[in-house]
Amino acid sequence: MLEKLYKKIFPILNFVPPELAHNLAIKFFSKYKKTIEKDDQILNSNVCNLQFSNPIGLAAGFDKNGEAYNGLLSLGFGFVEIGTVTLNPQIGNKKPRIFRLKEDKAIINRLGFNNVGAEKVLKNIKKNEVNSKRLLGINLGKNLDSIEPIEDYLKLIKIFDKKASYITLNISSPNTPDLRELEKKNNLEKFVKKVSLVKRKNSIKSPIFLKIDPDLNTKELGDIADIILSSSIDGIIISNTSINRSNNLINTNAGEVGGISGLPLKTKSNKLLKDFYILTNGKIPLIGVGGISNAKDAYERILNGASLVQLYTALVYHGPSIVNNIKKELVYFLKKDNYKCVEQAIGKLNKLK
Ligand SMILES: Cc1cc2nc3c(=O)[nH]c(=O)nc-3n(C[C@H](O)[C@H](O)[C@H](O)COP(=O)(O)O)c2cc1C
């Protein structure tokens, strides 16, 4: 039913400016209700003491304000990550700021954390309450004009802890100047120490994930792995969008400033995840994201070390049926390879020490 409706609407959405199309989709999913079908048991897993019905999640940035996550969860996602939310509301960059690169199966965005701010998002979450069997991630960021960025994150953790299944600290968006500075060794050390202190002092119950960028070099990735291994960070999301462009892009929007997502990000995100899994000897749960558009991609990411995966761009190009299609085929792949559950497949392509 939904698929039929989407197939009718989809060609029209293609002619609507991307941000308007997105806002219409949010309106649609904020009203959309459907009973969630039970997942095949082989897809159930436990990550950071959270029970995931299946490992396919919606990545941050789609439901920035927590208005539509129940509708989106009912598409069959195991979890939806809302945000990025900042302490104070902010309007983001000048429009246009989302660009489709259809031939490249990619999107470039330079939104700049447009969102209604922590207070309003909290109200939205309270109003909508999460469908009990699925999980809600809340992705947090700093305001553009923040004088003490780390303090923003610490305050936001305390605000959202009670409502989140898990919290993501986004220090990797390319559209907030200097945000990626927080990934640098000395800054990251200071940052994670402060996060640990707040976790302890406030008995924070949500697992805390860090989202990193795909443009890190080998040395930077190694530094991050070392710091994370001796910290209380519970998981790493790999990765955000990339500021680099391949020469092979076809669409004329390729030169737009911002972060690129979708197919051109796939190999890079996959390699980064694999490298990080090996560097951390499989000790830290990883969430793989970037260019995943079918079950083969999702399975490959899991075999390379992802406990969970997320997608965004493929939902835009393929429509809501992508979630059930991926799950169905993933079940087939797991059974074919004689895995009893998805957890058994994590990292199986890597040799660890
Ligand atoms: C339009 C758009 C907005 C995004 N906004 C955010 C955001 O607010 N916070 C965040 O952590 N990631 C954001 N992302 C990045 C995605 O969460 C994801 O990491 C990235 O798109 C790679 O996945 P994909 O190739 O499946 O899209 C955004 C991506 C897109 C396309």
Side-chain angles (χ1 to χ4, degrees):
M1 163 70 182
L2 173 73
E3 205 172 325
K4 274 191 194 146
L5 186 65
Y6 197 86
K7 271 187 181 146
K8 271 194 188 150
I9 296 172
F10 192 67
I12 305 166
L13 285 182
N14 260 318
F15 292 101
V16 174
E19 191 158 351
L20 178 61
H22 178 80
N23 293 340
L24 291 172
I26 289 292
K27 280 240 154 18
F28 177 81
F29 286 115
S30 69
K31 300 272 181 284
Y32 182 70
K33 279 198 183 74
K34 188 177 157 243
T35 317
I36 302 181
E37 284 163 36
K38 208 165 176 282
D39 286 316
D40 190 309
Q41 264 192 4
I42 202 168
L43 295 179
N44 300 169
S45 68
N46 182 309
V47 181
C48 297
N49 288 327
L50 298 171
Q51 285 304 129
F52 287 81
S53 174
N54 73 73
I56 318 296
L58 178 60
F62 196 92
D63 185 12
K64 285 191 184 265
N65 296 317
E67 298 161 291
Y69 59 85
N70 272 326
L72 291 162
L73 280 170
S74 62
L75 298 182
F77 285 112
F79 60 114
V80 164
E81 187 169 315
I82 64 166
T84 296
V85 187
T86 55
L87 212 47
N88 301 313
Q90 62 180 32
I91 53 171
N93 293 322
K94 216 169 91 228
K95 293 179 190 172
R97 52 194 182 173
I98 306 180
F99 305 88
R100 291 190 198 107
L101 287 73
K102 202 170 166 230
E103 304 86 337
D104 305 298
K105 299 194 174 68
I107 292 175
I108 292 176
N109 93 83
R110 52 168 179 268
L111 287 162
F113 292 169
N114 54 313
N115 77 108
V116 296
E119 197 180 321
K120 186 76 206 308
V121 173
L122 194 65
K123 274 192 191 143
N124 287 344
I125 298 173
K126 283 181 181 160
K127 198 170 80 191
N128 297 324
E129 284 304 338
V130 189
N131 186 306
S132 59
K133 295 243 163 54
R134 304 285 155 128
L135 303 173
L136 178 71
I138 306 181
N139 178 305
L140 309 175
K142 77 167 195 86
N143 276 108
L144 177 67
D145 60 0
S146 166
I147 301 159
E148 292 188 278
I150 296 182
E151 292 307 313
D152 277 24
Y153 288 94
L154 303 181
K155 283 181 193 156
L156 286 162
I157 291 172
K158 287 189 255 177
I159 293 173
F160 285 107
D161 178 45
K162 292 221 160 51
K163 291 292 165 195
S165 309
Y166 71 84
I167 282 172
T168 300
L169 306 176
N170 177 10
I171 53 170
S172 51
S173 165
N175 302 313
T176 296
D178 294 336
L179 186 73
R180 289 181 173 188
E181 288 297 308
L182 281 172
E183 291 177 299
K184 300 265 160 69
K185 194 169 181 234
N186 291 343
N187 296 334
L188 189 64
E189 270 167 356
K190 197 168 134 201
F191 184 43
V192 297
K193 264 192 198 133
K194 291 202 170 179
V195 170
S196 297
L197 208 67
V198 162
K199 265 180 101 173
R200 232 178 316 125
K201 269 195 175 165
N202 299 276
S203 309
I204 297 295
K205 61 134 189 74
S206 316
I208 296 196
F209 300 159
L210 208 64
K211 185 164 178 179
I212 64 172
D213 84 66
D215 306 317
L216 296 161
N217 62 36
T218 313
K219 159 90 174 69
E220 290 167 330
L221 197 69
D223 286 344
I224 295 178
D226 288 345
I227 294 167
I228 296 311
L229 276 172
S230 56
S231 79
S232 68
I233 296 296
D234 300 281
I236 305 290
I237 304 189
I238 303 173
S239 72
N240 216 312
T241 55
S242 172
I243 52 171
N244 296 331
R245 301 286 184 270
S246 121
N247 293 331
N248 304 330
L249 296 173
I250 301 163
N251 193 283
T252 49
N253 284 329
E256 289 293 342
V257 170
I260 194 163
S261 57
L263 186 60
L265 189 59
K266 186 168 95 172
T267 310
K268 208 174 181 181
S269 285
N270 200 11
K271 181 175 183 315
L272 204 71
L273 178 120
K274 187 181 177 73
D275 290 349
F276 202 85
Y277 185 81
I278 293 168
L279 279 169
T280 51
N281 217 17
K283 286 196 178 121
I284 295 169
L286 305 180
I287 295 104
V289 52
I292 293 172
S293 72
N294 55 42
K296 194 170 151 279
D297 296 341
Y299 191 40
E300 186 183 19
R301 212 63 64 103
I302 292 166
L303 291 171
N304 273 324
S307 295
L308 303 164
V309 298
Q310 295 178 320
L311 54 87
Y312 182 149
T313 304
L315 178 67
V316 174
Y317 286 117
H318 296 271
S321 56
I322 190 174
V323 190
N324 284 330
N325 290 345
I326 291 184
K327 288 195 296 185
K328 212 160 86 190
E329 221 181 327
L330 186 57
V331 169
Y332 168 78
F333 286 142
L334 289 164
K335 288 187 176 163
K336 188 166 84 53
D337 290 346
N338 287 322
Y339 291 114
K340 297 270 174 301
C341 64
V342 64
E343 282 176 55
Q344 286 182 345
I346 299 167
K348 275 288 148 26
L349 281 181
N350 303 315
K351 279 205 179 75
L352 295 181
K353 281 172 257 156

